[in-house]
Amino acid sequence: MKKLSLVAFLMMLALAMQASTGLVARARAHVSHVSLDRSSAPAQTASTTGAIAAIVELESEPVAVHQRLSARLPRREVDFESSEARTYEAQLEIEHASFKSRAALVSPNLRVRTELRKLVNAVSIEASSSELAAIAALPGVKRVELVKEFHALLDASVPLINAPALWDRLGGAGAAGQGMKIAILDTGIDITNSLFSDSGFNLPSGFPKTNNNSDGLVNNKVIAAKSFIRPVSDATDQNGHGSNVAGIAAGSVTTSPLGTISGVAPMAYLGNYRVLDASGSGRTDLIAQGIEEAVADGFDVLSMSFGGSAGSVPDISETAAEAAVAAGRIVVIAAGNDGPDPTTINSPGTTPSAITVAAATNAHVVGPVISVAGPDPISANLTSVGSTEGAGSTAVFDTTLGPLPYVDADPQGRGCNGILAGSLTGKVALIERGNCPFADKINNVAAAGARAVIIYNRDSSEDTAGSGAGGDNLFTMDATGTKIPSFFIVRSKGLALRDFVRANPDATVSIATFGSGSFTPDVLADFSSRGPTPLEALKPDVAAPGVSIYSAAARTGDASAGVVDSSGFLAISGTSQATPHVAGAAALIKQLNPSFTPEQVKSALVNSATLDVFTTPNQTARVGVLDTGGGRIDLARASSVTATLSPASLSFGIRKLKKSDVSFIDLKVTSVIDGQNAFTVGVQQLDPGDGITVTSSPGSLTLTRGQTGTATITMAAVAGSQRRDYTGYVMITGGGQTLHVPYWVRFVKKKN
């Protein structure tokens, strides 16, 4: 086994050498408007010192595993302050000291980055490649992996997920989240933003908790401020991403330029665990340390909106996240922004027991608002049209434009060829996307005298790989090198504007600098990563609003690298923004049901979610299981579940099909309602095939509150069945509610 692990490790070192020559790129952000590379790279300093950062996992079990086994506490909260836990951790400290002494003999310049004992038993070090190979062969070393670099990946969205219905059950917005603690592992939290006002909060016992000179970064709401970055710094948010995420999860009720907003769990406490630097980058070993600290500090929910490329072996961040769930914490992680291709779930979103979150559209879009001003009559779909403003332009757009005449400019050439000089003087040009870059269109109409330009999306039939989707999809244009205001709108609104001006050549339009425009909700975001995972598991688990989510922002900084707006608020998109919706929701479910385990909270959210998430804004086709798992969270349903289910989804994996094939998974059903109730178990196949059967035995269970029954779900195929994906839902009906468990299997002729 030692020889095999060493061979694997040397292969990893070869990858690291490739990274130093630019063959392995950095992680992509989980904010869809930031364009970054798509993969994560091993972290190293070989170009300057010859040192490579690596995580050395030692053979003894970590504290959390030892405590669960010795106390027989399966997936229950671990008390890291108990005398037994402290005694065992002291033994691990001796093991670490012994390892460091032996490692120093083969690596005289060995540098220790961090040490982990509670969730993972590991020491993160820096050494040369030849020294690491020798360290991997030392006694007591279980495994070595390279440190990777990850990157940072409420308004209408809060009622969209039916949060107010659960608020009412908890006593109103003034009690929603009360007593719950949500740790935000991100770029930091700016407590000067009004979303983090501590009015009405009392500091809980044992807090605040800080490190690295972060004492001034806490208040009675943000009760922890710790940083885990290199070089060492305090927990100040220098990017804005962390504040944005924290505001969505648990921002206090406050007034913003858009009106009154709040997070999903406005009365919850927040913990600032800074694991990403000013550029949004973080290293997996230090991220694991942040996870360990948040668990040890007693936070109920951990929210992580970052990631990088996933492999077929869990990395240290996934291992730590899985251990956090086993220690009794709810862990919520972004799926990633590498969609729409399959098998694009990022690490640590591949963590099996975590809740992995996809992104869907919000009920509105925040930004410039376009309205036809005349002539009457003007239909409702021609007013309050939401848009995005072109990025990178030197144009000044700080006051309402118009009313100005607008024209259907160059309908044949789409603004890509020369337009007669002076023909657009004083007008707003309306142009269709396509045929040339956005900047060319903008500059061409500007040369013809246009005051501004509205570009509407092309038909989706023109979509090509690697470009933003057409139709009623909305994104931010690259307007670098342009000098007039430019706005992008969805296709249906563009066609409506076009048809109106063709019928009314004297039509005028006004464009307000900021507002809320209507938008079709519950459409899966094109960028949202899809499953399955490289670990052959069904992910994501659920979806939540992640498009144009309005929350906190840094007031100063680099807007090209962070979430920055002088108002302190900004609407951005990404699975980063979907994830804290679920983190806040999980806190509310836990508040309502204090005895629920992380597995039960996950089930309540996943198995009650609405299946009405669609592929396009016309809402004619629903997305599949590998797109959103159980669907988009619905807190009205999640707060009233009649049973919890384990597992929350069924992954039969990738199976080689030569002859017939049969596989089984036991589904445990636990009643959480009073009385004796019958729960029927059925199957809904979304894409049935010849010879494919999915059945349950038994077909019904009779349970009292707290009682658990087991239904065995059988997946069977015959030799003639098609080799492809099969998905569907196991349907559990009882107590007046139907819950659904998504399932997935892939049959192949030959496994790689």
Side-chain angles (χ1 to χ4, degrees), residues 149-460:
E149 184 172 274
F150 285 172
H151 206 288
L153 298 178
L154 291 173
D155 54 283
S157 63
V158 172
L160 178 62
I161 64 172
N162 277 328
L166 181 46
W167 290 356
D168 290 343
R169 294 191 61 183
L170 294 168
Q178 209 162 59
M180 303 306 299
K181 303 181 186 73
I182 303 174
I184 305 296
L185 287 87
D186 213 286
T187 64
I189 300 175
D190 177 11
I191 63 170
T192 68
N193 191 294
S194 60
L195 272 171
F196 310 115
S197 167
D198 62 356
S199 177
F201 286 83
N202 295 311
L203 200 65
S205 176
F207 289 89
K209 295 181 183 291
T210 63
N211 71 4
N212 296 329
N213 300 313
S214 299
D215 294 356
L217 302 177
V218 292
N219 60 17
N220 286 355
K221 180 176 178 68
V222 181
I223 58 175
K226 296 185 175 183
S227 68
F228 309 90
I229 61 173
R230 296 291 184 274
V232 175
S233 176
D234 65 20
T236 298
D237 187 1
Q238 298 173 311
N239 178 281
H241 187 270
S243 295
N244 186 272
V245 166
I248 297 167
S252 300
V253 178
T254 193
T255 300
S256 74
L258 193 64
T260 300
I261 63 171
S262 80
V264 175
M267 292 304 293
Y269 293 112
L270 286 165
N272 171 4
Y273 290 81
R274 186 184 180 192
V275 297
L276 306 178
D277 62 21
S279 70
S281 299
R283 304 293 176 87
T284 49
D285 56 341
L286 302 178
I287 288 169
Q289 186 184 16
I291 294 171
E292 187 169 282
E293 290 274 333
V295 170
D297 289 345
F299 279 79
D300 305 287
V301 181
L302 280 65
S303 180
M304 294 184 266
S305 291
F306 53 77
S309 60
S312 57
V313 177
D315 62 44
I316 193 72
S317 68
E318 297 169 70
T319 302
E322 185 70 16
V325 178
R329 306 309 196 269
I330 303 158
V331 177
V332 187
I333 309 176
N337 291 346
D338 290 326
D341 293 335
T343 318
T344 50
I345 303 295
N346 283 194
S347 172
T350 48
T351 302
S353 298
I355 306 173
T356 304
V357 188
T361 55
N362 195 1
H364 73 185
V365 58
V366 177
V369 177
I370 301 167
S371 296
V372 170
D376 291 331
I378 303 168
S379 63
N381 71 329
L382 294 172
T383 62
S384 298
V385 176
S387 73
T388 59
E389 186 177 1
S393 173
T394 59
V396 176
F397 177 55
D398 55 8
T399 186
T400 297
L401 284 173
L404 292 171
Y406 80 97
V407 294
D408 180 19
D410 194 21
Q412 301 303 318
R414 301 191 187 185
C416 294
N417 302 314
I419 301 174
L420 184 63
S423 62
L424 298 177
T425 299
K427 299 176 181 178
V428 176
L430 178 68
I431 291 183
E432 185 177 6
R433 176 192 177 195
N435 295 355
C436 66
F438 291 117
D440 290 356
K441 297 174 183 287
I442 299 166
N443 286 331
N444 287 340
V445 299
R451 288 278 305 277
V453 57
I454 301 169
I455 299 177
Y456 63 93
N457 210 348
R458 67 189 176 203
D459 189 273
S460 57

Side-chain angles (χ1 to χ4, degrees), residues 647-663:
S649 63
L650 304 176
S651 297
F652 289 90
I654 300 175
R655 303 185 65 82
K656 182 179 177 181
L657 183 60
K658 274 193 171 181
K659 299 179 180 180
S660 60
D661 183 86
V662 179
S663 54

